[in-house]
């Protein structure tokens, strides 16, 4: 058994292992391939006799970092591989103050054993067939908005998520005053950041059927809106190791993925 960074040829089998573990259909590009191709993250695979039997990824956002995509194939579970992958992905973050993650019910005991503490939940919804409401005029995000969008994201999350934000500006939409922005990552998701009024407009205007949308439970207004727009599925727990990040959950109206909020 060897744990190592994924090579080009590992991406498809690694995504297949993750798809099975998370009951999703993952195809590149995903949040994991974005992270793997960047200088600030890694996608690790566990290989046994030529087969990929586990995965884990991590990405650094300044003084904080996220851990995600931790999976082990069913036949290899229960013998410490999940823990080894998690430790390797954390080690890849190097000298970092705070490690964050969104834990599934299966993953949570593993992270607790490694010193992570629960700090709240993200509620997760599958959007229904609601027709988007075009209530207020929206505008495209332009190159000139780049610094303002990065600042908006930093103020909401307390992190420097430039890697993800800059990969999601093409096709991004904002309220005219840029009080809220809906980003467009190269995978299917609707990350929305900003003030509640603008974010509500963006979410109701841009939501499409069959999207998986996750919002911090502390953002009561977003949870209430998504209860009207979708069907709730199992929540995840935001866990932390290290000092709290000064984030503002009421400004987070959609996650990039269940890798980082
Ligand atoms: C979560 C997952 C990666 C764990 O993989 P694994 O190889 O079985 O994990 P390990 O054998 O390393 O177990 C890690 C620790 O958690 C403990 N643990 C695992 N499952 C547990 C459970 N259901 N209840 C209590 N403890 C549990 C183990 O005893 C072990 O503790 P120890 O190191 O002190 O003995 C695997 O179950 C999986 O792929 N699940 C589906 C995908 C998923 O939910 N991933 C987590 C996303 S956040």
């Amino acid at each position: 058994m060897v744990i190592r960074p994924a090579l080009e040829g590992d991406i498809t089998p690694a995504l297949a292992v993750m798809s099975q573990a998370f009951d999703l259909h993952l195809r590149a590009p995903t949040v994991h391939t974005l992270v793997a191709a960047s200088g600030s993250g890694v996608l690790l695979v566990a290989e046994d006799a030529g087969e990929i039997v586990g995965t884990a990824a991590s990405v650094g956002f300044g003084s904080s970092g996220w851990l995600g995509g931790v999976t082990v194939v069913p036949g290899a579970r229960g013998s410490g591989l999940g823990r080894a992958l998690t430790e390797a992905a954390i080690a890849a973050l190097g000298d970092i103050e705070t490690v964050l993650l969104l834990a599934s019910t299966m993953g949570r005991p593993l992270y607790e054993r490694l010193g992570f503490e629960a700090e709240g939940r993200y509620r997760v919804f599958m959007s229904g067939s609601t027709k988007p409401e075009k209530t207020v005029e929206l505008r495209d995000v332009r190159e000139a908005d780049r610094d303002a969008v990065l600042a908006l994201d930093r103020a909401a999350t307390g992190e420097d998520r430039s890697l993800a934000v800059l990969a999601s500006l093409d096709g991004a939409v904002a309220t005219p005053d840029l009080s809220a922005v809906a980003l467009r990552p190269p995978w299917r998701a609707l990350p929305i950041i900003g003030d509640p009024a603008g974010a509500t407009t963006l979410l109701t205007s841009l939501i499409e059927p069959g999207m998986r949308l996750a919002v911090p439970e502390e953002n009561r207004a977003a949870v209430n809106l998504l209860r009207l727009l979708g069907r709730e599925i199992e929540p995840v727990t935001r866990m932390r190791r290290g000092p709290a990040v000064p984030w503002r959950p009421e400004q987070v109206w959609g996650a990039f993925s269940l890798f980082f909020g």
Side-chain angles (χ1 to χ4, degrees), residues 21-22 70-73 76-84 101-104 106-107 109-111 113:
F22 293 133
V70 178
T71 66
V72 171
V73 295
R77 287 181 191 164
S79 56
L81 183 54
R83 185 185 180 120
L101 60 87
L102 297 175
S104 65
M106 275 185 103
L110 193 168
Y111 307 122
R113 278 170 159 77

Side-chain angles (χ1 to χ4, degrees), residues 29-138:
T30 68
V31 63
H32 319 93
T33 61
L34 173 78
V35 160
S38 79
S40 49
V42 70
L43 171 60
L44 300 174
V45 291
E47 184 196 324
D48 188 24
E51 295 284 312
I52 303 297
V53 294
T55 63
S58 59
V59 62
F61 288 146
S63 59
S64 57
W66 287 78
L67 185 65
V70 178
T71 66
V72 171
V73 295
R77 287 181 191 164
S79 56
L81 183 54
R83 185 185 180 120
L85 279 159
T86 303
E87 285 175 334
I90 295 172
L93 289 170
D95 192 14
I96 212 154
E97 270 180 40
T98 304
V99 184
L100 294 158
L101 60 87
L102 297 175
S104 65
T105 307
M106 275 185 103
R108 189 169 166 171
L110 193 168
Y111 307 122
E112 280 170 347
R113 278 170 159 77
L114 291 172
F116 284 81
E117 287 172 50
E119 63 167 20
R121 296 198 303 176
Y122 273 52
R123 302 276 286 270
V124 188
F125 298 83
M126 290 303 298
S127 56
S129 56
T130 343
K131 282 238 158 40
E133 274 174 42
K134 284 264 183 296
T135 43
V136 180
E137 209 183 311
L138 299 173

Side-chain angles (χ1 to χ4, degrees), residues 127-139 171-176 180-182 184 190 192 196-209 211 213 225-226 229 253:
S127 56
S129 56
T130 343
K131 282 238 158 40
E133 274 174 42
K134 284 264 183 296
T135 43
V136 180
E137 209 183 311
L138 299 173
R139 71 171 180 83
V173 174
T175 51
V181 60
R184 282 288 188 207
L190 191 55
I192 296 177
T200 300
T201 302
L202 288 166
L203 184 53
T204 49
S205 304
L206 301 172
I207 193 166
E208 288 168 10
M211 298 185 110
L213 303 161
L225 180 58
L226 283 174
L229 298 173
W253 284 71

